[in-house]
Amino acid sequence: MTVKINASKAAYEARLGKPFIDFDHVQQEFNGNLVIPDLNLTVNAGELFVLVGTSGSGKTTTLKMVNQLQPQTAGTISIMGQDIRQTNLQELRWNIGYVLQQIALFPTMTVAQNIAVIPEMKGVKREEIDATVDRLLKRVGLDPAKYRDRMPSELSGGEQQRIGICRAIAPEPPVVLMDEPFSALDPISRTQLQDLVLDIHASRHDTIIFVTHDMDEALKLGDRIAVMSEGKILQVDTPNNVSQHPANGFVKQFFAQSIAHNVENVYVGKMVMQGFAYPTLPQPGARVLDISSDKVLGDVFDAMKDVDYLRVVSGNKELGFIDATMVVHYLSQHLHEDDA
């Protein structure tokens, strides 16, 4: 039996927000070591789902099992309810885009040829491929007239990764896997490409599984986040809930360490002045504590332990109200601001 995952656009859109990729008691063993002991996870159609964790946590292994670069030792992975082991391997990979940290463009092919690899294998007409190449180059901010005939060696790292994204989405796959694609880039390029992924995802509604070791990146990109450690998922939730209600001490510490450089030197007053505050108390009767505008954002999480909102004050002047959700929202919009 051959299972097709390239459902019609209408069929895929009908599944948006519903279970799409399922891991059912999945195990992975390497050299006699059970590195993924029992993985149970569901990714919804149209979701930008982030796997975050330290090195060796199992996030990349989990990603590679989806396109069977590393077939699972036990358990079932299904797409649209069908076991992917019953899918023709070539067809499975044709319908799953893949973006790597190493980028891995074919060095002897032009930009246009790199983008066209999978559509050509699938027998798409040349005029359609050419139109797709030009459309995608424009989509990622590169002029087709200047870039389509360039070689990868003539591109910057950020430009190469833009081509990598184009190549991954050129065949219109319903699933895109991204394995730490921006970790080797400079802060400015990283931020630009994060914004590009969010923009493309908002227009395409594809299902993205994104791997990162950076909690900041996870908070910015993820509709939901899965925090992994030692092959186990410790928490799956929205960015706000992971930050406000960590499931255990590891998640709390990981979150705190990851954002520490963003919160140590940013003052609460700066965030409020930039519009990241409620002008009035959102919930009358909620528990409120005053915090001075000259406190740093790191102080907010400590102060929020037993209250619902913080009233930001400067002397006797009330500036507004904030909560942990507002701080996370601010950080997601100002990641690595000082580095950039």
Side-chain angles (χ1 to χ4, degrees):
M1 175 181 179
T2 298
V3 177
K4 295 183 179 295
I5 69 168
N6 56 337
S8 68
K9 183 177 180 180
Y12 176 76
E13 289 180 347
R15 299 186 70 97
L16 291 178
K18 299 177 182 178
F20 190 63
I21 302 173
D22 289 292
F23 296 78
D24 184 21
H25 295 292
V26 170
Q27 296 181 343
Q28 182 61 266
E29 181 180 305
F30 290 133
N31 299 322
N33 297 317
L34 198 59
V35 296
I36 304 285
D38 185 24
L39 180 64
N40 295 280
L41 177 68
T42 296
V43 178
N44 297 323
E47 186 171 37
L48 205 169
F49 190 91
V50 179
L51 294 170
V52 62
T54 57
S55 297
S57 61
K59 54 191 186 299
T60 292
T61 297
T62 299
L63 190 80
K64 289 182 177 180
M65 289 190 291
V66 177
N67 61 3
Q68 294 291 277
L69 283 177
Q70 291 180 355
Q72 69 270 29
T73 305
T76 302
I77 302 171
S78 59
I79 298 179
M80 296 197 303
Q82 302 293 335
D83 188 341
I84 61 174
R85 289 173 299 188
Q86 298 178 356
T87 305
N88 176 275
L89 188 59
Q90 183 183 63
E91 182 177 339
L92 176 73
R93 292 177 181 168
W94 276 359
N95 287 283
I96 298 178
Y98 195 28
V99 184
L100 297 163
Q101 176 184 339
Q102 296 84 2
I103 305 173
L105 297 179
F106 297 109
T108 59
M109 292 184 178
T110 66
V111 163
Q113 290 170 335
N114 267 281
I115 297 172
V117 167
I118 299 301
E120 284 183 344
M121 289 182 178
K122 297 177 75 171
V124 177
K125 295 180 180 178
R126 170 49 54 186
E127 56 269 26
E128 292 181 29
I129 292 176
D130 290 341
T132 295
V133 168
D134 289 351
R135 174 176 55 82
L136 290 178
L137 285 172
K138 292 177 183 177
R139 189 71 180 77
V140 300
L142 300 176
D143 183 353
K146 294 181 180 180
Y147 283 91
R148 63 171 11 259
D149 294 324
R150 288 189 182 182
M151 305 302 291
S153 60
E154 301 176 87
L155 307 177
S156 69
E159 288 171 340
Q160 289 186 42
Q161 197 56 284
R162 289 171 190 264
I163 303 306
I165 293 172
C166 289
R167 184 175 64 182
I169 66 176
E172 296 288 327
V175 180
V176 178
L177 308 179
M178 303 187 122
D179 189 6
E180 304 213 43
F182 311 141
S183 60
L185 302 178
D186 63 88
I188 293 177
S189 296
R190 183 170 66 240
T191 298
Q192 290 174 341
L193 286 169
Q194 288 169 350
D195 292 340
L196 177 63
V197 166
L198 288 171
D199 186 44
I200 291 175
H201 179 252
S203 63
R204 284 172 41 86
H205 305 296
D206 43 6
T207 304
I208 297 177
I209 302 180
F210 191 106
V211 162
T212 182
H213 64 272
D214 186 341
M215 181 64 90
D216 290 344
E217 189 165 60
L219 291 170
K220 179 174 182 177
L221 296 180
D223 294 320
R224 285 191 302 151
I225 298 170
V227 183
M228 294 192 71
S229 178
E230 299 180 342
K232 300 176 183 178
I233 292 181
L234 305 182
Q235 184 171 4
V236 180
D237 215 325
T238 63
N240 283 342
N241 284 340
V242 169
S243 63
Q244 293 184 63
H245 308 291
N248 55 34
F250 179 90
V251 177
K252 182 178 181 180
Q253 183 180 22
F254 186 38
F255 173 77
Q257 289 177 342
S258 180
I259 67 170
H261 67 282
N262 284 314
V263 301
E264 287 176 351
N265 299 306
V266 178
Y267 292 99
V268 174
K270 177 181 179 181
M271 186 183 89
V272 174
M273 290 300 105
Q274 292 184 353
F276 291 84
Y278 308 103
T280 59
L281 185 62
Q283 298 177 358
R287 298 171 300 169
V288 181
L289 179 69
D290 285 357
I291 188 170
S292 175
S293 62
D294 61 4
K295 294 291 186 179
V296 295
L297 297 188
D299 296 325
V300 170
F301 294 101
D302 290 334
M304 285 292 303
K305 290 179 179 178
D306 299 314
V307 299
D308 301 309
Y309 296 93
L310 298 176
R311 186 172 74 108
V312 181
V313 296
S314 178
N316 295 323
K317 184 178 180 181
E318 178 183 293
L319 302 182
F321 295 83
I322 63 173
D323 58 8
T325 299
M326 189 64 75
V327 176
V328 171
H329 182 47
Y330 174 84
L331 290 172
S332 73
Q333 301 300 314
H334 297 80
L335 295 178
H336 306 287
E337 189 173 70
D338 294 334
D339 295 338

